[in-house]
Amino acid sequence: MTTHEDMPAGRRMAVTVAVMLAVLIQVLDTTIANVALPHMQASLGATQESVNWVLTSYIVAAAIALPIAGWLAERVGRRELLIVSTIGFTVASVLCAVATSLPEMVLFRIIQGATGAFLVPLAQATLFDINPPERHARAMALFGGGIMIGPILGPVLGGWLTDSFDWRWVFLVNLPIGVVTTMMLVRYLPENGKARRKFDVLGFALLGLSIASLQLLLERGHQLDWFESVEIWIEAGLFVGAGWMFIVHTVMGRETLFEREMFADRNFSIGLLFMVVTGVLLLAGLALLPPLLQKLYGYSVLQSGFLTMPRGVGILVSMLITGRLVGLVDLRLLVLGGMALMAWSMHMMTGFAIEMGRGPIIWSGLVQGFGLGIVFVTMQSLAFATLAPRLRTDAASVLNLFRNIGGSVGISLVATLLARNIQVAHADMAAQVDERVLPRLTDQVAGAQGLDPATATVLLDAEINRQAAFIAYLDDFQIMMWLTLAAMPLVLLLKPLSKAQRGEGSPALAMAD
């Protein structure tokens, strides 16, 4: 097995580029198809509700497959699994591009989600193995860049491909990248050892059922008015019941899906909670901002995409800086600082005005991206620093699973709160427009616009709806700010790392680079 001690620098660079390309195409596909849904609906003959299964099938398949990445990597070899997964993801992408009906598309998206689920944890574990401990923080900075930039670039790239060419290019764009990635992996990826590890069928079945139920609950809850639906009650019951049985099985079983030693590591367990918060803020924020920019500020899909890109710039810059600071500063202080920046950015967003320029959007995005980058890199270093190398693939799978769950929970939470807060704000404002006020307001609107009173009344109602929606967005930003502040005390539970464990960032190492 080739390790970082005997791997030439050129080969290490080639492996890094290859695995990061694999990460990029997988992460892009979590959001790139969203903007193309209306076009898919018409082409595939689907309804507005049924076309959402294009997204749901991918998310559920990825969530179920993700936990077994560690077992498969040991059983068949990490190199073989990474290559096969890249090929499978690329082929599934092409099949999605040529799909002619919704059932075909859902089937191919299931294959794409299941094969793509292995790419991220395998890439992360590979980066740890091919780099010496003193370079782990910088490797995680690079890895984090791909993970967190993907969801930001996805809607921009998807919108441009759909508008300029066809929605099928949203999937075809993976073909050249997948071919190049596969060739580089075959040529440069080192061999890893294999182990005959027993597969925990019961544990996987319980965890898969729990995760699938949770994802379906979160994806369909908003459409079905949550617990007004029998389906949601069933999914909630399966999530809680199967999840509890999985926990009991993991604690008491002999050969379980995940080794208990991994969860006994305090920093890793706290890191899971931080990954949930990171997923909420990253994906929930991305779910809120583009509709706000397009519906209330009138920006196009591409313009709104470019306005969310400063967040990506902040992430990249902060990751580069954090990789250098890891060996110089107590990592808990870095986490605390990153969380504070994220909370501050949300506070900035609660101060948005319904009529304003682009400056506040850009600056709040930069600040938030800077905080997200710091927290992601630092928490990856803290979570993996004290884990045994044999646990890395499993640990990477669980960390990414929790980040994905956090994103799903965050998106569902902000969507539900947005809809309900719009109704509340609309009712509050409409209550102020009674029989005495309405004629005067209608006359003012009619006089200013040169319209008849009936049309003026319609415009007045539209303006109330717009104001109510804007207030609801601000309320969501405020809730996300309080969530971030509530998570900050978790820093006190983190165990500090020694200088040797941090490794990265010393002046000597920086000069040697």
Side-chain angles (χ1 to χ4, degrees), residues 47 50 65 70 146 176 192 208 230 235 296 298 311 354 369 373 377 411 457 469 477:
T47 64
S50 63
N192 285 85
V230 174
E235 289 162 356
L296 298 184
R311 179 196 279 198
I354 200 165
V377 172
I411 291 172
T457 303
F477 294 145

Side-chain angles (χ1 to χ4, degrees), residues 16-328:
T16 301
V17 171
V19 298
M20 286 311 303
L21 285 174
V23 167
L24 186 60
I25 58 175
Q26 194 277 338
V27 176
L28 274 175
D29 265 59
T30 59
T31 56
I32 195 173
N34 296 32
V35 295
L37 280 184
H39 301 270
M40 292 185 201
Q41 179 183 340
S43 178
L44 300 175
T47 64
Q48 185 172 357
E49 181 178 346
S50 63
V51 78
N52 287 323
W53 282 102
V54 174
L55 305 180
T56 303
S57 58
Y58 179 89
I59 294 171
V60 172
I64 294 174
L66 191 54
I68 63 170
W71 177 82
L72 274 176
E74 289 188 15
R75 187 78 178 187
V76 305
R78 188 192 300 159
R79 180 180 188 273
E80 290 76 7
L81 181 58
L82 190 50
I83 291 172
V84 170
S85 298
T86 304
I87 295 172
F89 185 85
T90 305
V91 171
S93 298
V94 175
L95 292 174
C96 288
V98 300
T100 57
S101 65
L102 184 62
E104 285 184 7
M105 175 62 79
V106 170
L107 174 62
F108 299 148
R109 285 286 279 177
I110 290 173
I111 299 172
Q112 191 185 36
T115 53
F118 304 130
L119 298 179
V120 173
L122 294 178
Q124 188 174 17
T126 299
L127 288 175
F128 268 109
D129 283 353
I130 66 173
N131 286 282
E134 64 270 13
R135 295 188 63 89
H136 281 175
R138 293 182 195 176
M140 286 304 97
L142 181 63
F143 172 79
I147 286 290
M148 305 185 84
I149 295 300
I152 294 173
L153 289 180
V156 181
L157 182 59
W160 177 72
L161 288 172
T162 303
D163 291 342
S164 302
F165 302 99
D166 185 81
W167 67 264
R168 298 183 186 276
W169 279 96
V170 166
F171 300 106
L172 283 174
V173 71
N174 292 331
L175 178 59
I177 303 175
V179 170
V180 172
T181 302
T182 302
M183 293 172 63
M184 294 183 69
L185 290 174
V186 171
R187 174 68 177 84
Y188 297 108
L189 192 63
E191 293 283 351
N192 285 85
K194 302 177 184 179
R196 294 191 62 82
R197 174 178 165 189
K198 186 177 179 180
F199 184 60
D200 180 14
V201 178
L202 177 60
F204 174 67
L206 291 172
L207 182 60
L209 179 60
S210 180
I211 292 173
S213 300
L214 175 62
Q215 291 289 354
L216 287 171
L217 183 153
L218 295 172
E219 287 290 315
R220 294 178 54 76
H222 185 62
Q223 304 172 27
L224 303 177
D225 198 19
W226 294 102
F227 291 99
E228 297 298 321
S229 167
V230 174
E231 178 187 327
I232 298 302
W233 276 106
I234 294 173
E235 289 162 356
L238 289 173
F239 161 61
V240 174
W244 174 250
M245 292 173 66
F246 172 76
I247 292 172
V248 172
H249 172 70
T250 301
V251 172
M252 302 182 65
R254 291 185 178 180
E255 295 187 57
T256 56
L257 191 62
F258 304 119
E259 294 191 41
R260 287 185 287 270
E261 177 188 344
M262 184 169 63
F263 300 103
D265 188 287
R266 189 168 78 188
N267 280 0
F268 177 77
S269 297
I270 299 301
L272 295 178
L273 299 179
F274 274 103
M275 283 298 104
V276 172
V277 175
T278 302
V280 169
L281 295 178
L282 178 65
L283 295 179
L286 285 174
L288 283 176
L289 201 54
L292 171 65
L293 296 176
Q294 294 168 35
K295 294 178 181 178
L296 298 184
Y297 287 106
Y299 293 110
S300 67
V301 173
L302 284 180
Q303 287 174 328
S304 65
F306 285 121
L307 284 174
T308 59
M309 288 185 68
R311 179 196 279 198
V313 174
I315 289 173
L316 287 177
V317 172
S318 68
M319 285 182 170
L320 293 174
I321 295 174
T322 305
R324 299 277 178 172
L325 292 177
V326 164
L328 305 174

Side-chain angles (χ1 to χ4, degrees), residues 419-477:
R420 293 184 178 178
N421 288 336
I422 287 175
Q423 294 176 353
V424 171
H426 187 280
D428 289 343
M429 287 189 290
Q432 307 301 317
V433 184
D434 55 23
E435 292 82 359
R436 295 172 299 171
V437 178
L438 182 60
R440 185 170 70 252
L441 291 176
T442 301
D443 290 342
Q444 290 175 356
V445 174
Q449 302 292 333
L451 302 171
D452 61 272
T455 305
T457 303
V458 173
L459 289 177
L460 183 60
D461 182 64
E463 179 60 23
I464 292 176
N465 288 331
R466 188 171 79 105
Q467 296 282 350
F470 188 75
I471 292 171
Y473 277 108
L474 298 187
D475 288 342
D476 270 8
F477 294 145

